[in-house]
């Protein structure tokens, strides 16, 4: 299951088409799927290459005495780089399944742009990586999920993260999660799923959805969508009473 948009769909320079869908609101099947998956366990076998990649990431994480920042579906790694600069004391892990996209992150370093020493890129299947991180009880202080593949056709609900069996694992990974998208229905559904899960699990949580205009786009996708005039949305989950410094840092700059 792809973690973010197909590069070919956003290959136009300076302009990107808005998401088109035959769906007009929150999917009628979403509530049933979320409740079903909250009472089940994600059991898909873990890909060997992801297990090996996770072990390398875990070795990197253990060299720090600070919680982890996770950038899921990091694409070319620009968002990971920006997060690493904003969280200089924390290990920042960027995960994407595309070798082509991650090679662009390596190219930056090869072209003389040094990477911060707290950054680590991982090529892995994202769903498998989340399961391994959850099983290892990683201490993730902030989880970024920027511009995931919207699967905009009505039939694509089960491929969206909030309509997938991985959703319970996703929302348990960190007390602070921020998802960004340029499709309002995805934002509405994600917020709805978070609210449903929070009530079902009896969490004390703050859940918000808002539009925003980034002063400094955090990723290549965000830059393209913003320059193309798209409305941008962010949905946040904050569990517990006190937000971390990390969330305030991210929110104050976009």
């Amino acid at each position: 299951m792809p973690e973010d948009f197909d590069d070919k769909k956003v290959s136009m320079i300076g302009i990107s088409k808005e998401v088109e869908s035959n769906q007009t609101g929150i999917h009628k099947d979403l509530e049933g799927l979320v409740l079903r998956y909250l009472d089940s366990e994600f059991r898909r076998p873990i890909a060997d290459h992801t297990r090996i990649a996770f072990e390398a990431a875990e070795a990197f994480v253990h060299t720090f005495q600070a919680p982890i920042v996770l950038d899921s579906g990091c694409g070319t790694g620009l968002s990971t780089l920006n997060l690493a600069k904003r969280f200089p004391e924390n290990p920042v892990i960027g995960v994407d399944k595309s070798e082509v996209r991650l090679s662009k992150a390596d190219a930056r370093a090869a072209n003389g742009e040094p990477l911060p020493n707290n950054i680590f890129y991982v090529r892995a299947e994202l769903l498998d990586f989340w399961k391994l991180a959850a099983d290892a009880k990683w201490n993730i202080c902030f989880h970024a999920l920027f511009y995931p593949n919207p699967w905009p056709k009505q039939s694509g609900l089960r491929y969206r993260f909030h309509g997938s069996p991985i959703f319970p694992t996703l929302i348990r990974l960190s007390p602070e999660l921020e998802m960004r998208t340029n499709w309002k229905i995805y934002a509405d559904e994600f917020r709805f799923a978070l609210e449903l899960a929070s009530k079902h699990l009896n969490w004390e949580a703050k859940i918000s959805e808002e539009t925003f205009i980034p002063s400094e786009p955090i990723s290549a996708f965000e830059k393209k969508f913003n320059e193309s005039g798209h409305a941008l949305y962010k949905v946040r989950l904050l569990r517990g009473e006190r937000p971390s410094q990390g969330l305030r840092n991210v929110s104050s700059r976009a």
Side-chain angles (χ1 to χ4, degrees):
M1 177 170 129
E3 282 89 44
D4 48 22
F5 292 102
D6 189 320
D7 287 335
K8 294 179 181 178
K9 294 180 181 178
V10 291
S11 60
M12 295 179 292
I13 297 176
I15 189 169
S16 175
K17 291 183 179 180
E18 293 188 2
V19 177
E20 297 178 354
S21 176
N22 59 347
Q23 188 177 323
T24 58
I26 293 175
H27 200 291
K28 62 181 179 61
D29 295 335
L30 180 58
E31 181 173 357
L33 286 177
V34 171
L35 292 175
R36 181 195 311 172
Y37 296 142
L38 286 170
D39 293 325
S40 61
E41 183 180 353
F42 185 68
R43 296 181 177 273
R44 191 177 81 172
I46 305 295
D48 289 341
H49 76 274
T50 295
R51 196 178 296 277
I52 293 170
F54 179 80
E55 291 173 356
E58 190 159 47
F60 176 80
V61 164
H62 284 166
T63 65
F64 290 78
Q65 300 297 319
I68 302 160
V69 173
L70 181 61
D71 184 16
S72 290
C74 67
T76 63
L78 182 59
S79 54
T80 317
L81 179 60
N82 284 324
L83 288 169
K85 292 176 180 178
R86 297 177 191 182
F87 296 86
E89 304 301 322
N90 302 78
V92 181
I93 308 297
V95 185
D96 201 274
K97 78 171 196 174
S98 171
E99 183 176 3
V100 173
R101 287 190 286 265
L102 287 175
S103 68
K104 295 179 181 179
D106 295 333
R108 290 191 195 98
N111 289 334
E113 181 178 346
L115 292 180
N117 62 9
N118 64 326
I119 197 169
F120 192 86
Y121 290 114
V122 181
R123 179 173 175 258
E125 296 291 337
L126 190 52
L127 277 61
D128 294 351
F129 195 91
W130 286 348
K131 182 66 165 58
L132 290 170
D135 290 346
K137 294 181 171 54
W138 269 18
N139 181 12
I140 301 172
C141 64
F142 182 75
H143 187 184
L145 185 61
F146 297 151
Y147 304 96
N149 189 331
W151 293 94
K153 291 184 179 179
Q154 189 166 339
S155 59
L157 173 62
R158 292 171 185 262
Y159 295 106
R160 300 170 200 161
F161 289 131
H162 48 271
S164 162
I166 197 62
F167 185 64
T169 303
L170 163 61
I171 63 176
R172 287 184 173 98
L173 278 174
S174 174
E176 298 187 35
L177 167 66
E178 183 173 306
M179 189 281 300
R180 299 187 184 185
T181 181
N182 65 327
W183 187 32
K184 187 177 189 302
I185 288 177
Y186 198 101
D188 291 346
E189 286 189 343
F190 201 83
R191 173 185 50 78
F192 176 82
L194 288 175
E195 291 172 345
L196 194 63
S198 180
K199 181 177 180 181
H200 184 80
L201 297 170
N202 294 315
W203 280 352
E204 180 182 346
K206 180 180 179 182
I207 297 162
S208 62
E209 176 183 345
E210 63 182 273
T211 58
F212 72 103
I213 299 174
S215 57
E216 298 177 15
I218 201 165
S219 71
F221 280 117
E222 187 162 281
K223 183 175 187 295
K224 182 177 289 290
F225 296 150
N226 186 51
E227 291 178 350
S228 300
H230 295 193
L232 303 180
Y233 305 87
K234 62 175 66 171
V235 178
R236 299 192 190 115
L237 167 68
L238 173 61
R239 288 192 276 125
E241 296 182 357
R242 296 180 61 189
S244 77
Q245 183 64 33
L247 183 60
R248 289 198 293 272
N249 281 347
V250 171
S251 302
S252 65
R253 300 191 182 208

